[in-house]
Amino acid sequence: MKQQAILNVDVEQGIINKNIYGHFAEHLGRCIYEGIWVGEDSPIPNTNGIRNDVVEALKNINIPVLRWPGGCFADEYHWKDGVGQRENRKRMVNTHWGGVVENNHFGTHEFMMLCEMLECEPYICGNVGSGTVQEMSEWVEYMTFKGESPMANWRRENGQEEPWKLTYFGVGNENWGCGGNMRPEYYSDLYRRYQTYVRDYDGNKIYKIAGGANVDDYNWTEVLMRESARYMDGLSLHYYTVPGDFWTGKGAATGFPEGEWFVTMKKALHMDTLIRKHGTIMDKYDPTKRIGMIIDEWGTWFDVEPGTNPGFLYQQNTIRDALVAGLHFHIFHDHCDRVQMTNIAQTVNVLQSMILTEGEKMIFTPTYHVFEMYKVHHDATKVAIDMKANNYEFDGETIPQVSLTASKNDEGTVHVSICNVDHQNEAEVTIDIRGLAISNVTGRILTADKMDAHNSFEDGENVKPVEFTGFSLDGKGLDIILPPMSVVVLALN
Ligand code: AHR
């Protein structure tokens, strides 16, 4: 049955912060080492040790912000181990992720250099779990103080004359779990204390992000907002889409049954409920929405690829991941008044990544292509598009078959993005366009004919966007036929 949407181009609903399309790179598995950092002597083409292919790929999706160094790693990371001559840096064990040697060759200077190459904002996560207030305070001084001071002098000795611009700083990560197993009352007090010494030097204004809740721990949000709202600019939230059970079997990234496709879509949509419920608590203490909800870890989490180190969280990425990304963006757009940044986990070779590498080889995942197709929404104005979607039914359960979002850019072009999450049936959608006379429509589509279609090092082009022509424009609106398992972006002007 045809589904009817109404697009009201003149009903503006806020700005879609481009940081919603942010990323996260942790010292975990092959994300930083190999995925980003190969060292200056590597045969892999690099600039000052950073892979050229990966930088070019991330620039192509206009990566706006990058979170580092963790994750759980952040609350074990001691930044002073990662500055100075590389050969003299401490070798340590990455106890959380695979027990491998961390040689600290990728530290603050290398991360800031990476952000400069990517032309993106750094988002640094500090250590509350096992670090001191002094250590955190000195890191900020090291990075951002211009004048004469022990840390600023040390930075200059290490080759960086000018302070860096640093806006986003997280005070700990998952402090309810790997970041110290704290109760919200205790973390809230620590947050107040640590953030006091995260100083704004020389006009560098830090946006302070408090460590937020795990999934549906609403009490965590309640306590943090009640006790510490006035000391924070952002509060984080973590939610991963896991089709199975997190501890006993998450489900495979490829070769999964139909039911796991359905449940993955259903669980991805749960992000909307979480934002609404945490958002209601935030509204109670912050009705003007000054404080951003920062969803700094999200994405699919499957069983690791067979034969790989379980601590490296390496998983393939299919058209299913692409749909999960699309659904998340639509939800984030819907809440763009509160959600100011999100960071998908993680950029390269870990969880729902953009890029997979194998030595010098690099491929784009279907998720990468969604980020590329959706860059038209960065900093655009969200406009109203409403639809009562048909049901997509599986095994007696239902979710909406189609999800859509729309935005308008500075040139007046309207972009409509649509996901058909149904793994079997096409979807027919008619969009009644109001508030704009349309003369031209172009489109791109990402789709596949198998639920686990993906790119590999043998065939890196199996899943990629192509031109979309499955629409017709007449006096009444735009008729669209979306194939099963598809993500479409239309440009209307
Ligand atoms: O992204 C992988 C891990 O998931 C992060 O290190 C941690 O914060 C979360 O539990």
Side-chain angles (χ1 to χ4, degrees):
M1 195 180 56
K2 221 182 216 181
Q3 308 171 65
Q4 179 78 44
I6 299 178
L7 169 65
N8 278 300
V9 176
D10 47 1
V11 178
E12 300 185 351
Q13 298 177 316
I15 302 294
I16 298 165
N17 193 323
K18 66 174 186 222
N19 288 339
I20 280 177
Y21 290 84
H23 296 259
F24 167 40
E26 181 168 10
H27 287 238
L28 194 178
R30 295 182 299 115
C31 182
I32 294 291
Y33 297 108
E34 184 188 317
I36 291 171
W37 176 260
V38 289
E40 287 145 338
D41 301 330
S42 170
I44 298 173
N46 69 86
T47 302
N48 302 330
I50 294 175
R51 288 180 82 121
N52 294 342
D53 51 359
V54 170
V55 167
E56 197 191 321
L58 294 175
K59 281 185 80 168
N60 186 45
I61 54 173
N62 295 350
I63 178 173
V65 60
L66 182 60
R67 177 175 185 249
W68 172 86
C72 294
F73 184 78
D75 283 275
E76 297 197 74
Y77 182 60
H78 301 285
W79 69 270
K80 291 181 184 175
D81 297 343
V83 299
Q85 287 296 321
R86 262 182 228 120
E87 56 279 13
N88 298 333
R89 293 186 194 171
K90 252 188 212 167
R91 289 166 70 79
M92 57 183 264
V93 181
N94 189 334
T95 42
H96 210 92
W97 300 119
V100 292
V101 171
E102 161 65 59
N103 64 14
N104 276 301
H105 280 193
F106 190 88
T108 305
H109 290 251
E110 290 77 14
F111 174 66
M112 289 302 198
M113 176 171 69
L114 170 66
C115 291
E116 277 164 17
M117 288 177 182
L118 295 173
E119 296 170 34
C120 79
E121 294 263 8
Y123 166 16
I124 287 193
C125 185
N127 180 345
V128 173
S130 70
T132 64
V133 178
Q134 180 179 0
E135 183 181 359
M136 184 179 287
S137 162
E138 287 182 340
W139 199 3
V140 175
E141 178 190 327
Y142 185 91
M143 292 186 281
T144 62
F145 188 62
K146 194 175 172 67
E148 174 87 19
S149 85
M151 292 302 117
N153 292 350
W154 194 25
R155 181 194 68 232
R156 282 186 281 267
E157 276 166 33
N158 288 334
Q160 177 69 25
E161 183 59 33
E162 290 300 315
W164 291 286
K165 178 177 172 285
L166 173 69
T167 303
Y168 301 105
F169 193 88
V171 180
N173 168 74
E174 295 196 351
N175 301 94
W176 39 262
C178 64
N181 284 307
M182 301 175 197
R183 294 173 306 113
E185 293 79 8
Y186 182 66
Y187 171 71
S188 181
D189 282 348
L190 280 191
Y191 174 77
R192 292 166 64 127
R193 178 166 170 235
Y194 275 67
Q195 68 78 35
T196 306
Y197 305 95
V198 173
R199 305 276 191 205
D200 289 338
Y201 292 111
D202 299 310
N204 182 75
K205 174 84 186 77
I206 302 236
Y207 182 101
K208 296 175 189 173
I209 299 168
N214 183 30
V215 192
D216 55 359
D217 183 353
Y218 301 114
N219 181 49
W220 185 278
T221 301
E222 178 79 37
V223 174
L224 263 288
M225 289 299 295
R226 187 181 68 224
E227 304 298 337
S228 305
R230 65 183 177 282
Y231 302 106
M232 64 174 84
D233 301 299
L235 178 62
S236 73
L237 171 67
H238 288 182
Y239 172 61
Y240 285 94
T241 299
V242 183
D245 178 82
F246 190 84
W247 300 109
T248 57
K250 300 177 185 73
T254 57
F256 48 84
E258 284 173 307
E260 282 181 26
W261 170 283
F262 181 86
V263 84
T264 303
M265 297 305 137
K266 189 171 178 210
K267 288 191 172 181
L269 289 168
H270 187 55
M271 180 59 94
D272 183 62
T273 305
L274 294 173
I275 296 174
R276 281 179 202 282
K277 289 193 170 182
H278 286 287
T280 312
I281 300 165
M282 293 178 79
D283 288 349
K284 178 167 132 196
Y285 297 98
D286 175 36
T288 61
K289 299 193 198 288
R290 179 188 65 79
I291 299 171
M293 188 185 287
I294 309 295
I295 303 171
D296 51 18
E297 289 187 27
W298 67 272
T300 55
W301 194 325
F302 305 124
D303 295 331
V304 297
E305 289 305 313
T308 64
N309 186 330
F312 280 16
L313 309 187
Y314 178 70
Q315 64 190 41
Q316 247 300 353
N317 192 298
T318 68
I319 187 71
R320 177 174 61 161
D321 295 77
L323 266 306
V324 167
L327 290 181
H328 274 79
F329 291 138
H330 298 184
I331 295 167
F332 297 152
H333 290 187
D334 284 345
H335 297 284
C336 66
D337 56 345
R338 181 63 88 180
V339 177
Q340 293 302 327
M341 186 199 296
T342 88
N343 309 79
I344 190 169
Q346 300 193 6
T347 317
V348 195
N349 292 332
V350 169
L351 298 177
Q352 190 178 351
S353 52
M354 307 300 107
I355 290 165
L356 301 177
T357 67
E358 201 178 81
E360 76 291 351
K361 294 189 215 145
M362 180 194 82
I363 54 171
F364 300 132
T365 65
T367 300
Y368 175 92
H369 291 306
V370 178
F371 273 77
E372 190 276 318
M373 291 166 75
Y374 277 50
K375 67 185 178 184
V376 292
H377 295 298
H378 290 200
D379 283 340
T381 302
K382 182 178 182 309
V383 293
I385 187 158
D386 296 291
M387 183 177 75
K388 172 86 182 73
N390 290 346
N391 281 341
Y392 163 36
E393 192 180 331
F394 190 84
D395 238 1
E397 291 198 69
T398 57
I399 56 172
Q401 186 194 26
V402 170
S403 159
L404 34 63
T405 191
S407 72
K408 182 167 62 178
N409 69 14
D410 287 345
E411 287 77 49
T413 301
V414 174
H415 290 101
V416 178
S417 296
I418 319 175
C419 295
N420 176 11
V421 299
D422 194 319
H423 71 291
Q424 275 178 321
N425 301 300
E426 62 181 31
E428 214 178 330
V429 176
T430 297
I431 305 181
D432 176 355
I433 301 161
R434 302 179 185 175
L436 182 72
I438 303 286
S439 56
N440 185 45
V441 181
T442 55
R444 292 170 78 207
I445 184 168
L446 187 73
T447 189
D449 53 11
K450 277 174 62 191
M451 290 188 298
D452 67 347
H454 57 274
N455 295 327
S456 65
F457 293 99
E458 291 69 49
D459 182 1
E461 307 245 311
N462 186 37
V463 185
K464 64 174 186 188
V466 293
E467 190 189 355
F468 178 63
T469 53
F471 58 84
S472 60
L473 183 64
D474 64 22
K476 290 194 219 80
L478 193 58
D479 282 319
I480 309 160
I481 297 182
L482 299 141
M485 305 186 287
S486 60
V487 180
V488 164
V489 178
L490 299 169
L492 280 51
N493 44 34

